[in-house]
Amino acid sequence: MQLIACPWCGPREEVEFSYGGQAHVPHPAAPADLSDEEWAHYVFFRANPKGRFAERWNHSAGCRRWFNAVRDTATYRFEAVYRLDEPRPVTP
Amino acid sequence: MTSTYRTAEGGRIDRSTTLGFTFDGEVLTGHPGDTLASALLAAGRHSIATSVKLGRPRGVAGAWAEDPCGLVQIEEPFPEPMLLATTVELFDGLAAHGLPGQGRLADVPDSARYDAVHHHVDVLVIGAGPAGLAAALTAARAGARVALVDEQSEAGGSLLSGTDQLDGVPATAWVEAAVQELAGSPEVLHLQRTTAFGSYDDGFVLALERRTDHLGGAAPEHLSRQRVWRLRARSVVVATGAHERPVVFADNDRPGIMLAGAARTFLHRYGVLPGREAVVFTTNDSAYDAALDLSRAGVRVQAVVDARPDGAPHRRAECDDAGIPVLPGSVVTGTRGVERVTHALVAPLAGGQVGPSSAVACDLLLVSGGWNPAVHLYSQARGRLRYDDELGAFLPGDDVDGLAAAGAAAGVTDLAGCLADGQRVARAALASLPLEPAADDRLPSAPESGTPAAPMVLWRVPDTSGAEGTTSFVDLQRDATVADIARAVGAGLRSIEHVKRYTTIGTAHDQGKTSGVLTSGITAELLGVPVRATGTTTFRPPYTPVSFAALAGRDRGRLFDPERVTAVHGWHVAQGAVFEDVGQWVRPRYYPQPGEDMDAAVLRECAAVRSSVGILDGSTLGKIDVQGPDAAVLLDRVYTNLMSSLEVGSVRYGVMCGVDGMVIDDGTVLRLAEDRFLALTTTGGAAKVLDWMEEWVQTEWPELRVHCTSVTEQWVTFPVVGPRSRDVIGAVFPGVDVANEAFPFMAWRDTTLDGVPVRLARISFSGELAYEVYVNAWYATAVWTRLIDAGRRFGITPYGTETMHVLRAEKGYPIIGQDTDGTVTPHDLGMAWAVSKKKPDFIGKRSFARPANTDPRRKQLVGLLPTDGRTVLPEGSQIVELHPDGVLPPPPVPMLGHVTSSYRSAELGRPFALALVRAGRSRIGETLHVPLAGSLVPVEVTASVLVDPEGARRDG
Ligand SMILES: [Zn+2]
């Protein structure tokens, strides 16, 4: 069982967290202006890379706050956690 | 009972006390400190059970968890299957019998308790042998918080099995001193009889402590029997030692054939001679210790059969002194005997060719094919293994973050090396904390071992018996042989994982502790590839079997999942309600009167509500308090309806959709103030909807000044429903003007009852005149009782979830999650009226314009009336359409939809259903069919609202 470092609470058991999928996919500002295809990309399409992936996480059984993380999907290792208002950090 | 194979003295058993036990019905004795296996061997009993597939007699082949043979079932004091005789500590009154590979679970409830403890440390040391003790002492002396766990009954590991000296005195004296020192260190947790069985990420290790198993029937009731330790460590030291492995040869499975190191353990630890005449077959130096120790103890060692051409020159003189013949360049090719080995067949081995064999009489054949470091926990934590050609073993490769192997588990083979390695690894762990090693952390010195001779890597002896490997057992528990591996390879399998699954090797109780590496070696040989190319199968938890009872701990029965009850649960129980689980909630389903079944009770409850008045405990409804200057903005975005236009004092029904436009929840919203709303959700959706709002507020709209919090538990909700509800509410709450004009439908009013604030809301989930009564949960029973008392003259009828469902279905009100399944839009439910056209956007709006969501062939919610007026359609039933000529279309018959809700209706006097049907609204008036029990039930498609479609009843 992994430890995940909540930006507010520090390292906690992974069972306290829930996964929120790909990060940096904002809700379109004006959905009505989008084509069906563009809208479908927002609703249904997400990246699924092997390797580093910026993801949303929620410390759902802790402080209940959302945050972002860069995680390696091949090793499960968290390389960075950052607040929603912070840009994706450059990981080494 | 004479223990004819017990030594005259020695061993770590308490000879002053005798324990009685039975095995296969035979009454036997042993001593405290014995295992079941050592006590059986002391009685001269080697044969334990027959094998699972072939029925061949099998005995004790190891001395601890590596034993692949000695499976037993315990009968007394409590039935437990599939235990190893070698790991069952003897106690008075033990009754057991041998198992042919399959056991029997107890058919009575296990009254023992099991529990779990979390523990956090700086350094966790697994294994209390020389390396583990050295590591634990080093860490403890530096002031680190330490846990030391070991699976045996006492610390010492391999030191308990030999005659090693440290600082010139027996090593066991150092073990005792080390244990005492650790006991005096306040930051050290030292657990024996505790098996670390799973090693996971970030220093998380699961260990099972057997707290009372060794006490048998004398176990105190107040102690849990077993305890799961959930250990989290900054650094883990895996000092789990090594398992000896055999060499495979024909008929290598007979009772009396044993690992050489195991025989040494039985001699030194348990004071047992495993036989009288021994042959020792080895590929390495370690078995010489067994040969010499047994010889000194009076066993006649017929020969040391050493596969190496030069044998072990430095041990030659000792063997000569002891009169032990050594046969270098020789192997055991087979055995004789049935219930017990009687002869070893010994032959020269030269250039890979086996010469003619001769039979050597023996009742004990000791085998050593080398040592496999116990890398299980290292590998489970995703440590990479590397194959060592010289040792013929897989060793830990690079260190995993925060986890390192030490001592024999890391491939170190001598005592001095193990002590030093344990200290080295502990110091590395300290450096990472960081902590300074203590000024004095001296460890005792072990005598220099002589220059060892290199081991020979020999997986199997060519089968010259004519059996073609069919009796050359690799995995004794699975009866799997060299011939099975050859068949797997012959079938084209190359991956060791495939070979494992084809042959089942390594899948039994012991998970291949002795057979795994052998399989890699033999498979590599047969494929003609290096062993490093074959690799090993994956090591997975648990290291040794763990009972489900232990894993469940206290999370069983009523404690398996939290049970949520409402504040008036006691009243429901007293009224004889029948309950149902709704998520974690326990809700009254119906209140049967004497002689009533559910159908009768529900028909009565429904009729009472529609004709007079009923009361429901609706406290489980989700309630979210939404506050802040932007509360209305948030609700406008998450509901399909316009909520900002709602006036204070009013209520509006709302629907929530995902971004895909599919309904995820629904409920009413009360505007409490300009900046405050109470949003009601479905019982099952409460947590999900709060999470949903939080997610959007936090991730998309952090600029909104709004906060959401659950108040589900704080408020109880009692709908009072039916044409006489106004009378009841008016009587109980005289401060409220209940006239329709003063208190209209979809309005709420605050009042008090004896000074207690109460909120009333005219919300109806049945179509009837209805008032929902909200009050602080502390006053629930008092208010509920007042309502019941005031309603008595109208025959107020408490009703449960079943009646609630019928009443709402008669009105076509869907239950989200029952009548919908994540593919249903508000339009599909006939709720286009709840979708705002004024709002520029809300969650899901854009999806409504997708072509798939405007397709007229979408499934839509409709009503169904079975035309026979009798059939209650099972929920989930499929709906089909017949050809105009009345026959079914040819298979595959198109399915038009399915029944989502189905009940008997007191009001309609017949059963009815709700269903999702393809283009359902355009089919109203048509007859479709529901296949049921081999026939087709005709059903009329109707609008979804079957009772009071004009809404004439809601104002009373
Ligand atoms: Zn947190």
Side-chain angles (χ1 to χ4, degrees):
Chain A
M1 183 142 42
Q2 266 185 291
L3 293 177
I4 296 176
C6 170
W8 287 276
C9 305
R12 292 289 187 275
E13 300 274 350
E14 69 176 83
V15 293
E16 295 182 14
F17 296 83
S18 50
Y19 184 62
Q22 185 178 356
H24 309 298
V25 185
H27 190 264
D33 298 343
L34 300 184
S35 69
D36 282 342
E37 189 180 342
E38 288 166 332
W39 177 249
H41 265 273
Y42 166 71
V43 175
F44 300 113
F45 286 65
R46 292 295 182 272
N48 185 23
K50 178 180 179 181
R52 283 176 188 153
F53 191 36
E55 304 169 328
R56 306 186 318 151
W57 284 83
N58 183 10
H59 192 188
S60 45
C63 65
R64 297 181 54 75
R65 297 249 240 169
W66 283 88
F67 59 93
N68 287 338
V70 176
R71 188 181 63 109
D72 189 316
T73 60
T75 64
Y76 300 160
R77 199 151 294 286
F78 281 75
E79 300 191 343
V81 294
Y82 53 106
R83 298 198 316 257
L84 298 173
D85 56 1
E86 293 175 327
R88 174 176 174 164
V90 178
T91 45
Chain B
M1 198 56 50
T2 51
S3 295
T4 50
Y5 288 83
R6 189 73 78 176
T7 58
E9 57 183 15
R12 304 185 65 77
I13 51 171
D14 172 12
R15 293 173 192 251
S16 67
T17 304
T18 298
L19 305 175
F21 72 102
T22 64
F23 188 76
D24 286 347
E26 189 181 351
V27 179
L28 297 164
T29 63
H31 299 295
D34 263 324
T35 61
L36 177 55
S38 69
L40 289 170
L41 293 179
R45 172 140 189 181
H46 271 252
S47 190
I48 299 283
T50 52
S51 70
V52 65
K53 279 196 305 201
L54 303 173
R56 290 171 69 107
R58 294 281 164 79
V60 174
W64 189 251
E66 75 282 3
D67 180 24
C69 296
L71 284 173
V72 298
Q73 164 103 27
I74 290 184
E75 294 295 354
E76 297 290 343
F78 186 80
E80 195 173 1
M82 298 295 281
L83 296 171
L84 283 172
T86 53
T87 62
V88 173
E89 290 184 53
L90 196 67
F91 52 81
D92 204 44
L94 171 70
H97 60 80
L99 273 187
Q102 285 173 344
R104 179 179 57 79
L105 288 169
D107 50 11
V108 292
D110 184 355
S111 61
R113 296 192 304 149
Y114 301 82
D115 60 13
V117 172
H118 291 263
H119 193 71
H120 293 72
V121 293
D122 296 319
V123 181
L124 166 64
V125 180
I126 303 167
L133 284 172
L137 285 173
T138 302
R141 286 167 179 173
R145 197 160 193 239
V146 176
L148 170 65
V149 302
D150 183 271
E151 59 180 341
Q152 305 252 357
S153 58
E154 57 176 326
S158 61
L159 299 177
L160 304 173
S161 300
T163 55
D164 293 295
Q165 302 260 316
L166 286 171
D167 282 347
V169 297
T172 48
W174 172 71
V175 172
E176 278 165 38
V179 168
Q180 272 187 14
E181 184 182 336
L182 293 171
S185 309
E187 291 294 329
V188 174
L189 171 76
H190 176 190
L191 301 168
Q192 290 295 142
R193 298 190 173 95
T194 303
T195 305
F197 63 85
S199 164
Y200 307 84
D201 300 285
D202 295 330
F204 187 66
V205 171
L206 289 176
L208 180 76
E209 180 186 11
R210 293 172 297 280
R211 307 180 76 203
T212 66
D213 292 60
H214 61 291
L215 301 174
E221 268 184 37
H222 68 278
L223 288 182
S224 60
R225 180 181 175 223
Q226 296 179 348
R227 168 173 290 173
V228 172
W229 285 85
R230 299 174 183 160
L231 302 162
R232 177 77 73 174
R234 293 185 198 279
S235 288
V236 179
V237 179
V238 177
T240 45
H243 295 142
E244 198 167 21
R245 69 163 180 263
V247 179
V248 178
F249 48 83
D251 298 311
N252 58 338
D253 64 328
R254 301 194 196 285
I257 301 177
M258 183 182 289
L259 291 165
R264 219 168 158 238
T265 300
F266 285 119
L267 172 64
H268 292 302
R269 185 164 174 191
Y270 302 108
V272 170
L273 297 176
R276 301 230 183 271
E277 286 191 315
V279 169
V280 180
F281 174 29
T282 189
T283 64
N284 64 89
D285 289 357
S286 70
Y288 283 81
D289 291 327
L292 289 159
D293 289 356
L294 287 173
S295 172
R296 264 176 228 124
V299 174
R300 184 184 164 88
V301 179
Q302 302 279 47
V304 172
V305 180
D306 193 327
R308 295 172 292 184
D310 300 323
H314 65 299
R315 306 304 296 264
R316 194 63 189 252
E318 287 173 273
C319 292
D320 288 347
D321 288 352
I324 301 174
V326 176
L327 304 173
S330 300
V331 291
V332 169
T333 61
T335 64
R336 292 185 194 144
V338 179
E339 289 290 321
R340 177 83 179 258
V341 64
T342 61
H343 294 81
L345 308 179
V346 179
L349 173 75
Q353 298 297 311
V354 177
S357 69
S358 52
V360 180
C362 62
D363 64 356
L364 180 67
L365 171 53
L366 302 185
V367 184
S368 179
W371 294 81
N372 297 328
V375 293
H376 305 67
L377 297 172
Y378 167 84
S379 180
Q380 285 172 17
R382 282 187 257 136
R384 286 185 188 281
L385 300 173
R386 68 177 175 83
Y387 180 72
D388 184 297
D389 281 311
E390 189 178 332
L391 293 175
F394 289 92
L395 304 184
D398 305 330
D399 284 355
V400 181
D401 272 357
L403 181 141
V412 180
T413 55
D414 66 306
L415 176 54
C418 284
L419 291 168
D421 202 42
Q423 183 154 68
R424 178 188 65 81
V425 170
R427 283 181 175 165
L430 292 173
S432 70
L433 287 173
L435 276 176
E436 285 292 321
D440 178 15
D441 64 354
R442 182 189 169 274
L443 293 172
S445 55
E448 284 296 309
S449 48
T451 312
M456 175 177 175
V457 177
L458 178 68
W459 309 114
R460 57 169 178 151
V461 174
D463 189 358
T464 54
S465 73
E468 296 179 338
T470 56
T471 64
S472 300
F473 290 92
V474 179
D475 186 337
L476 276 70
Q477 244 185 75
R478 287 292 190 218
D479 274 340
T481 64
V482 170
D484 292 320
I485 300 179
R487 194 174 307 119
V489 170
L493 304 183
R494 295 292 178 270
S495 156
I496 194 68
E497 297 284 1
H498 294 161
V499 171
K500 168 181 174 171
R501 282 150 185 82
Y502 187 92
T503 60
T504 72
I505 290 174
T507 61
H509 178 278
D510 66 339
Q511 290 285 292
K513 287 187 179 61
T514 51
S515 60
V517 178
L518 283 177
T519 306
S520 294
I522 294 168
T523 301
E525 238 175 54
L526 292 171
L527 288 171
V529 300
V531 179
R532 72 163 47 81
T534 307
T536 63
T537 54
T538 307
F539 290 91
R540 293 194 180 85
Y543 166 70
T544 48
V546 180
S547 72
F548 282 110
L551 292 175
R554 301 193 63 194
D555 302 333
R556 55 199 287 195
R558 288 197 61 203
L559 296 180
F560 178 67
D561 198 32
E563 248 178 31
R564 302 175 76 183
V565 296
T566 72
V568 281
H569 186 72
W571 189 92
H572 305 316
V573 173
Q575 293 296 307
V578 174
F579 293 89
E580 73 167 334
D581 291 338
V582 182
Q584 291 174 334
W585 286 103
V586 179
R587 301 192 67 180
R589 190 173 190 190
Y590 56 99
Y591 299 80
Q593 292 190 347
E596 279 186 339
D597 61 6
M598 185 173 88
D599 284 349
V602 170
L603 287 172
R604 172 181 53 76
E605 291 173 9
C606 286
V609 172
R610 294 232 186 268
S611 63
S612 181
V613 62
I615 184 167
L616 172 77
D617 182 359
S619 305
T620 64
L621 274 183
K623 305 170 198 81
I624 301 172
D625 195 339
V626 184
Q627 295 191 43
D630 294 321
V633 180
L634 172 67
L635 297 188
D636 270 354
R637 293 183 189 177
V638 297
Y639 284 96
T640 60
N641 327 49
L642 196 60
M643 290 298 179
S644 53
S645 63
L646 186 61
E647 285 175 14
V648 175
S650 288
V651 181
R652 186 164 290 163
Y653 171 79
V655 176
M656 249 177 237
C657 292
V659 290
D660 57 1
M662 303 303 159
V663 177
I664 57 174
D665 206 70
D666 71 341
T668 49
V669 175
L670 285 63
R671 189 162 203 168
L672 305 180
E674 269 309 305
D675 59 354
R676 187 171 185 189
F677 295 80
L678 181 67
L680 301 172
T681 74
T682 58
T683 295
K688 190 179 66 180
V689 171
L690 181 63
D691 287 347
W692 179 246
M693 290 185 178
E694 273 294 335
E695 179 182 341
W696 285 91
V697 168
Q698 288 186 37
T699 66
E700 288 290 344
W701 309 315
E703 72 282 3
L704 292 186
R705 296 158 300 164
V706 60
H707 293 277
C708 308
T709 194
S710 167
V711 292
T712 303
E713 303 270 0
Q714 282 70 26
W715 292 95
V716 294
T717 309
F718 304 144
V720 179
V721 184
R724 307 312 295 264
S725 59
R726 181 171 285 132
D727 301 294
V728 176
I729 294 297
V732 175
F733 305 105
V736 176
D737 182 351
V738 293
N740 194 49
E741 302 70 36
F743 191 171
F745 182 60
M746 294 304 250
W748 62 267
R749 298 290 181 260
D750 277 350
T751 183
T752 59
L753 181 62
D754 295 348
V756 175
V758 174
R759 179 167 296 143
L760 305 173
R762 275 206 48 201
I763 298 167
S764 181
F765 197 39
S766 59
E768 300 297 329
L769 174 69
Y771 298 81
E772 290 185 350
V773 180
Y774 292 81
V775 68
N776 183 317
W778 286 108
Y779 306 102
T781 305
V783 172
W784 176 273
T785 310
R786 294 280 190 98
L787 292 166
I788 294 284
D789 288 347
R792 195 154 282 138
R793 67 193 180 98
F794 307 106
I796 193 167
T797 300
Y799 66 95
T801 50
E802 200 64 24
T803 291
M804 174 189 81
H805 279 294
V806 178
L807 297 174
R808 63 89 201 172
E810 288 172 341
K811 285 288 292 179
Y813 298 149
I815 297 273
I816 306 306
Q818 173 169 339
D819 299 295
T820 70
D821 59 4
T823 67
V824 180
T825 67
H827 311 82
D828 299 336
L829 294 173
M831 290 185 175
W833 54 267
V835 177
S836 167
K837 296 186 179 54
K838 292 182 198 155
K839 290 193 287 186
D841 196 26
F842 53 83
I843 298 171
K845 178 180 169 81
R846 175 63 182 82
S847 286
F848 295 148
R850 295 181 65 237
N853 289 351
T854 56
D855 188 334
R857 293 165 302 171
R858 289 184 64 79
K859 289 180 183 172
Q860 295 163 338
L861 189 72
V862 292
L864 297 181
L865 290 173
T867 52
D868 63 5
R870 291 192 316 273
T871 304
V872 181
L873 302 169
E875 289 170 357
S877 297
Q878 296 292 324
I879 296 160
V880 301
E881 183 177 28
L882 302 188
H883 280 319
D885 55 4
V887 299
L888 265 178
V893 181
M895 298 295 163
L896 299 186
H898 69 280
V899 174
T900 59
S901 295
S902 176
Y903 312 97
R904 292 173 207 282
S905 169
E907 184 72 13
L908 300 172
R910 60 188 295 180
F912 73 106
L914 296 177
L916 286 169
V917 177
R918 196 164 289 287
R921 283 197 289 274
S922 69
R923 295 177 179 275
I924 289 172
E926 290 181 14
T927 296
L928 297 175
H929 286 78
V930 172
L932 187 61
S935 66
L936 291 169
V937 178
V939 294
E940 182 194 343
V941 180
T942 69
S944 58
V945 185
L946 286 158
V947 169
D948 185 26
E950 311 79 28
R953 298 177 172 195
R954 62 161 216 222
D955 294 331

